[in-house]
Amino acid sequence: MSIFWKSGRLAILASGAILGLAVNADARELRGWNLHVPDYPGSIALEEFADAVEAGTEGRFTGSVYHNGQLGDQRFAIEQFAFDGIDFAAFSGGSLGDFAPELNIVSMPYVFQSQDHMFKVLDGEVGERLSAALEPYNMVALAWYTGGARSFYTVKSQVATPEDLKGLKIRVPDADIFVATIEALGANATPLAFGEVYTSLQTGVIDGAENNAPSFESTRHYEVAKFYTLDEHMMVPEALVVSKTLWDSLSPEDQTAMRAAARASAETQRKLWADREATSTKILQDAGVTIVKLEDKA
Ligand code: BDP
């Protein structure tokens, strides 16, 4: 009898262990694309998203964020969604606009008066419509990060007016809205991948580039370009997207958990952004960058 019970308990334990293994083996690991360094606001927020998804789905999904563009440049990563090569990411509205042109609306120069204005637009019906426009590219936008405002930085001299941009080769991300905007302002737009900008500034392939202070600082471009003019020509939001294939496969409960994780992640990103803008600006100043705020935006 006791032997019977003993082996009975053993059998139960064994199947419990097998069950435990089965739960882990079933957990799906999601691959997250990220362009930036690990301590960047969006990077921390994406990690938080992955953790919250794991907690919210009781471990059915886990997530890994690949920083520094390890999974490829932005255009390539957007294309990967069609093949479910990447499951989640924070993409620039400007880069997404080359695929879904509706996204260009929120990247147009001077379209927003402030970040709050931008959040108000994106957190409502417009954000949902933009998400719908991404569906053909196998993406669902669950929340929106801020990308701050983009401004010009140059190697040789300060840009104070559109006249000063004439003849300058300015690097832009590889997407039409950036090329068109910078050309309209009078410069020669040179599309280049994010990771190629430093050496291009250094070797004189380009005369300058344009970005928000956190990106200007985190890439250390300020070591080469010492003139920064805050003209804030574009306030480009970033979409926290997940694969539509993945989204459609989720139970309603897991969808709710994932959406909540995305919203919380966006809140974190927006808060961290404000801090990082201040820290980055201080680093730029300490490194001797001349920062000029353009008062006359007209
Ligand atoms: C950063 C954006 C990123 C852009 C990058 C760039 O976060 O999405 O692709 O600028 O200039 O600020 O390429």
Side-chain angles (χ1 to χ4, degrees):
M1 185 78 156
S2 69
I3 290 168
F4 172 82
W5 274 111
K6 232 179 173 176
S7 55
R9 275 186 73 186
L10 273 177
I12 289 164
L13 276 177
S15 63
I18 288 162
L19 260 182
L21 271 178
V23 169
N24 279 335
D26 275 355
R28 197 167 144 225
E29 186 176 332
L30 307 176
R31 280 153 63 88
W33 177 89
N34 177 37
L35 184 66
H36 294 284
V37 291
D39 74 345
Y40 204 74
S43 312
I44 298 167
L46 280 170
E47 294 276 6
E48 188 185 292
F49 172 70
D51 289 346
V53 165
E54 182 170 351
T57 64
E58 291 156 346
R60 283 183 288 281
F61 294 91
T62 61
S64 296
V65 185
Y66 295 83
H67 301 294
N68 285 318
Q70 279 174 73
L71 298 183
D73 72 17
Q74 191 147 201
R75 175 181 290 280
F76 175 80
I78 292 172
E79 284 165 357
Q80 284 300 303
F81 267 74
F83 314 106
D84 281 305
I86 293 168
D87 303 293
F88 67 99
F91 287 134
S92 157
S95 299
L96 289 169
D98 263 12
F99 295 79
E102 291 88 338
L103 269 289
N104 283 334
I105 295 166
V106 287
S107 308
M108 300 266 288
Y110 298 111
V111 77
F112 296 119
Q113 283 145 20
S114 64
Q115 291 204 56
D116 282 344
H117 179 203
M118 179 176 82
F119 296 147
K120 219 167 164 182
V121 169
L122 292 169
D123 292 341
E125 198 205 319
V126 172
E128 279 163 33
R129 285 171 64 182
L130 295 177
S131 178
L134 290 171
E135 286 188 9
Y137 306 94
N138 199 33
M139 288 177 206
V140 177
L142 294 181
W144 302 88
Y145 288 175
T146 178
R150 300 178 74 94
S151 292
F152 291 103
Y153 49 87
T154 37
V155 177
K156 289 202 181 126
S157 56
Q158 198 90 34
V159 166
T161 66
E163 293 304 306
D164 299 334
L165 283 170
K166 292 235 160 73
L168 292 191
K169 274 193 168 172
I170 300 290
R171 176 271 171 177
V172 292
D174 178 18
D176 286 350
I177 187 86
F178 297 104
V179 174
T181 301
I182 273 41
E183 294 268 328
L185 285 169
N188 297 334
T190 309
L192 280 177
F194 197 49
E196 286 169 33
V197 184
Y198 191 101
T199 22
S200 303
L201 286 167
Q202 215 173 22
T203 55
V205 168
I206 50 173
D207 301 303
E210 43 85 57
N211 222 316
N212 50 60
S215 278
F216 182 26
E217 173 264 308
S218 70
T219 53
R220 307 184 77 87
H221 293 170
Y222 64 87
E223 293 174 352
V224 199
K226 297 286 185 195
F227 302 97
Y228 195 29
T229 302
L230 302 180
D231 66 299
E232 304 186 320
H233 50 268
M234 294 163 106
M235 218 177 256
V236 184
E238 303 195 357
L240 170 48
V241 297
V242 297
S243 135
K244 188 172 177 320
T245 319
L246 164 71
W247 183 253
D248 291 345
S249 75
L250 298 178
S251 66
E253 293 75 27
D254 284 353
Q255 281 191 348
T256 305
M258 214 175 260
R259 196 178 281 284
R263 292 220 169 116
S265 159
E267 249 175 63
T268 298
Q269 194 271 350
R270 293 173 190 186
K271 272 195 209 113
L272 291 175
W273 186 264
D275 296 345
R276 181 66 180 242
E277 256 188 344
T279 317
S280 295
T281 303
K282 172 92 176 51
I283 293 172
L284 298 175
Q285 280 163 341
D286 290 351
V289 175
T290 311
I291 305 178
V292 173
K293 198 165 161 45
L294 201 73
E295 300 297 345
D296 181 11
K297 287 188 178 161

